[in-house]
Amino acid sequence: DGGITQSPKYLFRKEGQNVTLSCEQNLNHDAMYWYRQDPGQGLRLIYYSQIVNDFQKGDIAEGYSVSREKKESFPLTVTSAQKNPTAFYLCASSIANPVYGYTFGSGTRLTVV
Amino acid sequence: GQQVMQIPQYQHVQEGEDFTTYCNSSTTLSNIQWYKQRPGGHPVFLIQLVKSGEVKKQKRLTFQFGEAKKNSSLHITATQTTDVGTYFCCVGGGADGLTFGKGTHLIIQP
C-alpha cells in the first residue's frame, strides 16, 4: 500500500540535543512538507520541498533543518536552537498540483525532558 | 501569504443535530481545501473547491464556496459519533504550501 511513514511515533529529547524525525513516502509524490501542531491548534508550515535537492523555509523554520537527497525521503532535524520543540510533527506529500490534497503521515510526538 | 479565519473554534452538538463551520478570508481565494483530523490522528483530505459558488456533497457533508471566493462552509447533517474531530479549512497549496486555519473542534454528546 502506498503511503507516508513517519518514525518514531514518540520521541523524547533532552535539552540541548538535536533530533531527527524521519519521513518516507512511496507515493511517487514530488512535493513534501513538514508541519508543526501544538495542542488544540492548527498546523504551521516549517519547511517544504517541491523537488529533490531543493527546499524552502515555511512560516516557522527557525531552529529546524531539512534535507531532500531522495524523492522518497524528507527528514527533519530539530536543533537545540529551537527553544520550544515539544509538539506534534506531521509530514505530508502531494503531487505538484495538489487537487487531491495532501497525504499526511501519522506524525511524531516530540517531548523535551 | 493568505490567511483564513475559522469559526466557531469549538462546537458542542447533540448526536443527530446538524453542524456547520465557516471559513473566511479578506482576500479572494483561488481554491480552498478541507481536512478532518480525528483526536490523536492526522489530517485527512476531504475536498477541494475551486469555482465561485461551488457546492459539493459527500454523503452527509455539504461543502460550499462563496460567490466572491472569500468564504467557505462545511455543513454536516445529522451528526454521528464518527464525525468527532477537528475540521480545518486550508488555502494555498501551490508552490508555497498549504496554510491551515485554526480549525473547528466538533464535540458530540450522545
Side-chain angles (χ1 to χ4, degrees), chain A residues 35 37 40 48 50 98 100 102 105, chain B residues 33 35 37 42 45 93 95 97-98:
Chain A
Y35 285 88
Q37 186 174 33
Y48 58 101
Q50 298 289 331
Y100 302 112
Y102 287 11
Chain B
Q33 294 187 1
Y35 289 76
Q37 184 177 24
H42 58 275
F45 174 72
L98 277 175

Side-chain angles (χ1 to χ4, degrees), chain B residues 1-44:
Chain B
Q2 293 179 318
Q3 302 288 332
V4 284
M5 295 291 295
Q6 261 189 276
I7 54 171
Q9 186 176 1
Y10 293 91
Q11 184 73 59
H12 293 77
V13 300
Q14 295 283 338
E15 187 176 7
E17 290 182 340
D18 292 357
F19 159 77
T20 305
T21 174
Y22 300 90
C23 187
N24 300 301
S25 171
S26 60
T27 60
T28 302
L29 305 170
S30 57
N31 64 76
I32 196 161
Q33 294 187 1
W34 286 91
Y35 289 76
K36 175 185 177 181
Q37 184 177 24
R38 292 181 183 271
H42 58 275
V44 174

Side-chain angles (χ1 to χ4, degrees), chain A residues 15-106:
Chain A
E15 296 271 358
Q17 277 186 338
N18 292 353
V19 291
T20 297
L21 283 58
S22 171
C23 179
E24 303 277 334
Q25 55 101 357
N26 61 3
L27 298 166
N28 199 33
H29 285 171
D30 289 311
M32 296 187 74
Y33 313 85
W34 274 105
Y35 285 88
R36 168 182 172 142
Q37 186 174 33
D38 292 286
Q41 300 298 312
L43 281 68
R44 293 183 290 168
L45 184 62
I46 305 172
Y47 268 99
Y48 58 101
S49 169
Q50 298 289 331
I51 196 169
V52 174
N53 292 322
D54 188 40
F55 48 83
Q56 286 77 41
K57 293 181 179 179
D59 299 321
I60 56 165
E62 186 174 352
Y64 300 98
S65 67
V66 293
S67 63
R68 186 88 186 274
E69 298 177 0
K70 298 187 300 181
K71 187 176 184 178
E72 301 80 15
S73 178
F74 191 41
L76 174 74
T77 296
V78 184
T79 74
S80 57
Q82 171 49 239
K83 297 307 178 187
N84 185 23
T86 295
F88 187 39
Y89 291 87
L90 288 156
C91 179
S93 71
S94 73
I95 59 174
N97 182 12
V99 294
Y100 302 112
Y102 287 11
T103 300
F104 280 86
S106 56

